[in-house]
Amino acid sequence: MNLLGFLQRKPSAPVARERLQILLAHERATNGRPGLTNLLKDEILAVIKKHVAIDPEKVQVKLDSQGGVSTLEIDIEMPARAKPAA
Amino acid sequence: MATVLVVTSGKGGVGKTTSTAALGVALAQAGQSTVVIDFDVGLRNLDLVLGAERRVVFDLVNVVQGEAKLAQALIRDKRVETLSLLAASQTRDKDALTEDGVARVIDELREKFDWIVCDSPAGIEKGAGLAMRFADRALVVTNPEVSSVRDSDRIVGLLDSKTLRAERGEKMEKHLLVTRYDPARAERGDMMKVEDILEILAIPLIGVIPDSEEVLKASNLGAPVTLSAPSSLPARAYLEAARRLRGETIDVTVPTEKKSLIGRLFGRRVA
């Protein structure tokens, strides 16, 4: 390696770290706990359906884990005027 | 109260068997009655690393299938009398293990030992699944390398979902053991630092084993490094990790040859 190359040398470890962080954020969402997201979605839906008529298609459940903290995000689109389920 | 500890990683070649043997010796030398079990049916190696390859008559598969009694298959170490080995079969495959059979063996071992250390095969298939299935705690062995960290992350997910403890809603205690670490390369920015791996995997650190030629020498001899070179850097790191496993609180340091760097603290406590 010539002197210029040595001076321009960029450490590779930060690249490894960044690539892993991006990749794992994605992989954890898809296979961190197989089936858990769907299970939570079904059960939460069942509870809400007891009281409010909602469209199952308009429910988003997302599990995320970062820096040792896991978050569960539930996004339910309510009908314009929430009606009690029949 | 016996503790079942699985040594696992997902990726192969990161040091599961080496670490199982070194920690098994360390725990046994501390007076804990310890058994190490090789779950890598078809590709056994724990016997070789422990120098017991010519003493295997019966193995885990024989016991699981009722062809031999547990007492016949346990091999008592000749150097550390509180250490025993339950070898894997070399001629069968992973399908020879059944969940019920492994459960029975683990239950029986719980009666006899303080520590039951399960050396998992690589991968996430049946052998790895059964090695972690009945564990109380897990040691995740990781090299400072992208493929190893990714596979470890996958294993952490499986430990939290596919073990008996996880299914019962109980806590699965996980520990990170970083192996083949080179502090000088990490300092130069050419190897991920322990802090980077910790931040990504987010499980508590139990030890950092420096990359060392002593480890290969030890496996050449069939004597784990904690036995063949107890004052070497990797042996000291394993001995400290074993003390942390037993509940002692010692700061994790990366042992280096240079005196000035000894005691470089990470400022993190182990769980």
Side-chain angles (χ1 to χ4, degrees):
Chain A
M1 192 188 288
N2 59 31
L3 186 64
L4 192 66
F6 180 76
L7 290 173
Q8 288 177 335
R9 200 181 71 99
K10 274 173 79 178
S12 57
V15 182
R17 181 190 139 127
E18 202 180 310
R19 287 175 62 217
L20 274 170
Q21 279 172 331
I22 293 166
L23 175 72
L24 294 179
H26 175 73
E27 285 189 345
R28 282 173 189 153
T30 50
N31 59 19
R33 273 196 65 175
L36 179 68
T37 314
N38 275 334
L39 182 76
L40 284 172
K41 186 174 163 177
D42 288 348
E43 293 193 6
I44 290 166
L45 214 66
V47 170
I48 295 172
K49 264 184 167 171
K50 270 202 249 173
H51 306 287
V52 187
I54 47 167
D55 182 355
E57 295 294 307
K58 291 178 177 165
V59 177
Q60 301 280 331
V61 177
K62 220 167 88 185
L63 258 180
D64 209 358
S65 168
Q66 257 177 1
V69 180
S70 298
T71 54
L72 173 64
E73 196 181 308
I74 306 163
D75 188 356
I76 303 171
E77 195 180 313
M78 302 290 274
R81 180 175 290 182
K83 286 183 294 199
Chain B
M1 185 60 186
T3 302
V4 179
L5 175 76
V6 60
V7 179
T8 185
S9 69
K11 189 177 182 302
V14 297
K16 286 180 295 298
T17 302
T18 304
S19 298
T20 301
L23 289 171
V25 165
L27 288 167
Q29 278 180 332
Q32 305 272 296
S33 73
T34 304
V35 60
V36 289
I37 313 178
D38 192 344
F39 273 83
D40 205 345
V41 177
L43 289 170
R44 78 172 176 217
N45 275 321
L46 187 54
D47 55 333
L48 196 54
V49 169
L50 278 168
E53 68 276 13
R54 292 197 294 180
R55 298 175 62 208
V56 181
V57 180
F58 295 111
D59 55 56
L60 175 63
V61 171
N62 294 134
V63 183
V64 163
Q65 304 214 329
E67 297 155 0
K69 290 209 169 70
L70 184 58
Q72 293 175 292
L74 285 174
I75 302 165
R76 168 94 52 103
D77 192 273
K78 287 191 166 160
R79 302 150 300 195
V80 190
E81 62 169 19
T82 42
L83 179 66
S84 294
L85 161 71
L86 184 52
S89 168
Q90 185 68 342
T91 53
R92 314 283 268 273
D93 62 33
K94 266 83 175 170
D95 290 329
L97 294 178
T98 60
E99 177 159 345
D100 288 349
V102 173
R104 203 165 29 78
V105 173
I106 298 277
D107 276 347
E108 211 176 320
L109 289 169
R110 278 184 191 272
E111 304 283 312
K112 295 186 168 71
F113 293 94
D114 300 319
W115 287 90
I116 299 154
V117 186
C118 304
D119 182 20
S120 173
I124 51 172
E125 314 306 327
K126 190 177 182 185
L130 283 174
M132 72 166 67
R133 183 74 185 149
F134 305 99
D136 302 311
R137 292 162 74 177
L139 200 78
V140 179
V141 183
T142 306
N143 288 172
E145 196 241 321
V146 285
S147 52
S148 174
V149 176
R150 181 197 209 174
D151 291 0
S152 290
D153 189 74
R154 184 91 168 87
I155 283 291
V156 169
L158 294 175
L159 287 165
D160 283 335
S161 61
K162 299 285 183 192
T163 54
L164 214 53
R165 265 184 173 260
E167 286 177 8
R168 290 197 201 115
E170 293 166 7
K171 189 171 179 260
M172 182 73 193
E173 210 180 322
K174 298 170 290 287
H175 309 278
L176 175 68
L177 184 73
V178 177
T179 54
R180 296 212 172 134
Y181 191 66
D182 185 336
R185 290 177 74 189
E187 211 44 63
R188 285 203 302 270
D190 285 334
M191 179 182 274
M192 273 186 287
K193 291 190 174 180
V194 174
E195 292 94 326
D196 295 335
I197 305 170
L198 270 174
E199 192 189 326
I200 292 167
L201 292 179
I203 59 173
L205 184 65
I206 193 96
V208 179
I209 313 299
D211 195 19
S212 161
E213 49 189 55
E214 290 297 335
V215 175
L216 179 59
K217 275 194 217 164
S219 73
N220 288 343
L221 297 171
V225 72
T226 35
L227 197 65
S228 59
S231 56
S232 66
L233 296 180
R236 275 156 45 197
Y238 276 121
L239 289 164
E240 281 193 6
R243 285 168 62 194
R244 290 186 197 102
L245 272 177
R246 296 182 55 209
E248 280 186 52
T249 310
I250 320 165
D251 283 331
V252 181
T253 60
V254 182
T256 45
E257 295 290 0
K258 284 179 211 142
K259 272 217 159 76
S260 62
L261 283 175
I262 288 182
R264 184 170 131 53
L265 302 184
F266 277 98
R268 292 204 192 224
R269 301 229 164 231
V270 288

